[in-house]
Amino acid sequence: MKPGVLITDGKTRFTVRSPRAEALTLCLFEGDSEQRVPMARDGDNWTVEIKGDLRGTRYGYRASGEWNPPAGLWFDPTKLLVDPHALELDKPFTYHSSLSSYGIETAAIVPKAIVTAPALVAPAPPLFRHGGLIYELNVRSFTMLHPDVPDAIRGTVAALAHPAIIKHLKRLHISAVELMPIVAWIDERHLPPLGLTNAWGYNPVAMMALDSRLCPGGVAELRDTVAALRAEGIGVILDIVLNHSGESDVLGPVISLRGLDDAAYAHAPDGSLINDTGCGNTLDFGNPAVRALALDTLRHFVSHCGVDGFRFDLAPIMARSPAFAADAPMFAEIAADPLLADRILIAEPWDIGPGGYQLGAFPPNWLEWNDRFRDDVRRFWKGEAGLGLLATRIAGSSDIFGKASRSVNFLAAHDGFTLADSLAYEQRHNWANGEQNHDGHGENFSWNNGIEGETDNPHVLAARAAYARAMLGTLFMSTGSIMLTSGDEFGRSQRGNNNAYAQDNEITWIDWERRDLALEAFTCQLSAWRSSIISALQSFPEDGKWQILNSTKMHLTDTEMHADDWNSPLTPGFQWQNSVYGFTVDRAGTKAGPVWPSGTQSAQ
């Protein structure tokens, strides 16, 4: 009997997994009153069946047994526990120290799950095709300040279906939007004392339940938005966190899995929690029950919402038990699932555990975030890398993926500097995060073009503008799929904060009124070119020709590139072209981009 809630034949059955509990109680809520219903053990699960269709009823669980955290036993009947299979919650999570304290009642502050039976959709094939443009966005920051989006839906999933948003996405020729986490999360415990909140959502508790702050309409809101975007030819990819939960380390809250089945978390031989995520705990994908929960989560968003696929945060965790294995069971189980086998699967191919950098090691049908592209493109335009390395990245990173490139190329992502900030700040400026500027990446391969931060110096601004266009041109002519983080197309800044996870404010909210319209038009022109030849960019052609570019006269020398040319700092640039398309890199002129039909070397 699978965990979850099933409504059938006029009855509602509740099932939850808790192998080591001594007793389980279903708690039904009506207003402030709580009805407690004993559950019966069924192997590792507990179940109870109640007459009637209980859709709309709020519920939770209480587990009784031994309280012995060093032994992985966290049973405390004063802790209301959220169903790991909950599909909707009645309110967001709020952190409070009582959630971590034995014997203190928590029902008043813990969200209750809501019994629901969402409508099934017939999942259509994904719209996204490899080679297309993925647009990473934070639902709240993307729409909070948009002047055309009604106040009532700003900051929500519904706002993405607004005509003004769709118009922008279509002008950019977006193939799929990638939504940063939208499932129910809890703030890390150090944030409330700082007056901060988690703005990114990478700290989930209930993996299937949409956070009511972002998706107040629940499953129906996400389903309708997916349908509206699909009708315009735009797919939806969910950024999903299956590597850890918001219950954190041993000082973290007891609100769901920890109070039901602590074996869901990976433990070292001495019993301590493994922390391969940097978040205090790691879900154990060597445990079949964890894989089952993850698979149920993916199936839910496909079968009830019709999403194109998923980007997996810290994806090596799903192949650990405890070491990374390229033939991990999770990969085979996804591939064998009829709902999931054709979905778009994108790995963030690193975590912080031993052997955690696994770029290029995922299955052949998976795409992978390629941070080597980001770093090497920045290093080239900064003057720290050569033409040969840049060409390798543009041509699909065959040194990593072989001929069949599975690369998702990007210049910037939510984590790190924005594109504009990588050209305006040499150092991170994360003081607003309350960690004395020690958090965030220290090595960003960024440069400020002469002045740190904001300036009105025309020479500095002109240099930044030229480099932004050269880097965007490099991205859009590259082989593989590409990703653009929302706002980078028009110069969005986070004031030098390269770890803005706790800034739910103007630092991360996109300022639509002050965007660089010239840069936006330039990006749209690049994207229009790319979308016209998308099939040619899935793998790098073998029939093209590399030639040295004469930067002074802005024409080709008709001289083919040789080994010494690739490595020489005196080589001004190159052009590659075949019968379908071509592109140039002009190092001396700070230009890069496609060869346009008119014969010009790049977009203006």
Side-chain angles (χ1 to χ4, degrees), residues 141-458:
S141 67
F142 185 63
T143 62
M144 277 298 292
L145 299 180
H146 198 293
D148 296 328
V149 173
D151 290 346
I153 62 171
R154 285 186 182 182
T156 71
V157 168
L160 302 180
H162 189 274
I165 298 296
I166 290 178
K167 180 181 179 181
H168 183 73
L169 298 176
K170 293 191 71 174
R171 185 167 176 247
L172 278 169
H173 297 272
I174 300 300
S175 302
V177 292
E178 181 178 298
L179 309 186
M180 287 170 62
I182 56 174
V183 302
W185 77 86
I186 191 168
D187 289 335
E188 293 84 350
R189 64 177 176 272
H190 73 278
L191 292 180
L194 296 172
L196 299 173
T197 60
N198 187 314
W200 284 356
Y202 289 96
N203 205 37
V205 177
M207 306 299 181
M208 304 182 207
L210 297 163
D211 196 284
S212 58
R213 291 166 290 193
L214 299 181
C215 204
V219 172
E221 180 174 335
L222 177 58
R223 181 179 63 242
D224 291 347
T225 296
V226 169
L229 290 167
R230 283 190 64 91
E232 300 292 342
I234 302 168
V236 175
I237 296 169
L238 298 184
D239 188 343
I240 199 159
V241 182
L242 299 175
N243 55 76
H244 78 285
S245 90
E247 289 183 310
S248 186
D249 58 20
V250 294
L251 300 178
V254 180
I255 42 180
S256 187
L257 283 171
R258 173 164 288 149
L260 292 166
D261 182 16
D262 186 63
Y265 298 116
H267 294 79
D270 65 359
S272 62
L273 284 169
I274 290 175
N275 184 21
D276 288 340
T277 64
C279 301
N281 59 352
T282 299
L283 284 164
D284 183 5
F285 275 78
N287 182 339
V290 171
R291 298 199 302 274
L293 174 60
L295 288 165
D296 285 347
T297 299
L298 303 181
R299 293 188 194 106
H300 163 63
F301 286 116
V302 174
S303 64
H304 294 137
C305 304
V307 302
D308 269 22
F310 306 91
R311 178 265 187 188
F312 296 93
D313 184 62
L314 304 183
I317 297 296
M318 298 192 299
R320 283 188 177 277
S321 184
F324 177 88
D327 59 349
M330 187 66 182
F331 297 148
E333 290 169 6
I334 290 175
D337 191 286
L339 274 176
L340 304 178
D342 70 341
R343 295 297 104 177
I344 305 301
L345 307 170
I346 304 173
E348 180 186 40
W350 51 80
D351 61 35
I352 68 166
Y357 191 75
Q358 292 294 334
L359 179 64
F362 282 75
N365 63 316
W366 284 57
L367 304 179
E368 300 184 33
W369 269 27
N370 186 356
D371 64 327
R372 295 275 296 279
F373 181 94
R374 175 199 62 198
D375 293 349
D376 290 342
V377 169
R378 289 187 185 184
R379 290 175 58 226
F380 172 81
W381 289 110
K382 189 180 180 183
E384 297 178 348
L387 284 166
L389 184 58
L390 182 72
T392 298
R393 296 290 161 254
I394 293 172
S397 297
S398 61
D399 57 333
I400 299 169
F401 300 105
K403 290 184 178 180
S405 178
R406 298 182 291 104
S407 183
V408 176
N409 302 322
F410 60 101
L411 302 170
H414 66 272
D415 186 9
F417 278 139
T418 67
L419 173 58
D421 285 354
S422 73
L423 300 171
Y425 296 89
E426 286 194 3
Q427 306 297 328
R428 64 189 178 219
H429 295 261
N430 297 353
W431 297 99
N433 296 350
E435 299 182 45
Q436 291 74 52
N437 204 36
H438 295 314
D439 61 305
H441 296 300
E443 188 175 39
N444 298 281
F445 306 109
S446 61
W447 68 108
N448 62 23
N449 287 282
I451 296 176
E452 186 78 354
E454 294 184 9
T455 181
D456 57 4
N457 184 299

Side-chain angles (χ1 to χ4, degrees), residues 565-589:
D565 300 319
W566 289 116
N567 298 322
S568 173
L570 300 178
T571 305
F574 60 74
Q575 176 168 303
W576 178 92
Q577 190 157 16
N578 70 358
S579 61
V580 178
Y581 73 105
F583 54 81
T584 64
V585 170
D586 176 10
R587 174 161 53 188

Side-chain angles (χ1 to χ4, degrees), residues 21-60:
E22 295 175 6
L24 246 293
T25 303
L26 168 68
C27 306
L28 303 175
F29 292 87
E30 184 173 353
D32 294 331
S33 66
E34 175 183 349
Q35 177 188 0
R36 301 187 181 186
V37 183
M39 304 179 75
R41 181 184 287 278
D42 182 7
D44 288 341
N45 294 333
W46 297 78
T47 186
V48 65
E49 194 169 76
I50 298 176
K51 290 183 179 179
D53 184 331
L54 297 187
R55 260 176 277 209
T57 300
R58 298 152 62 235
Y59 74 98

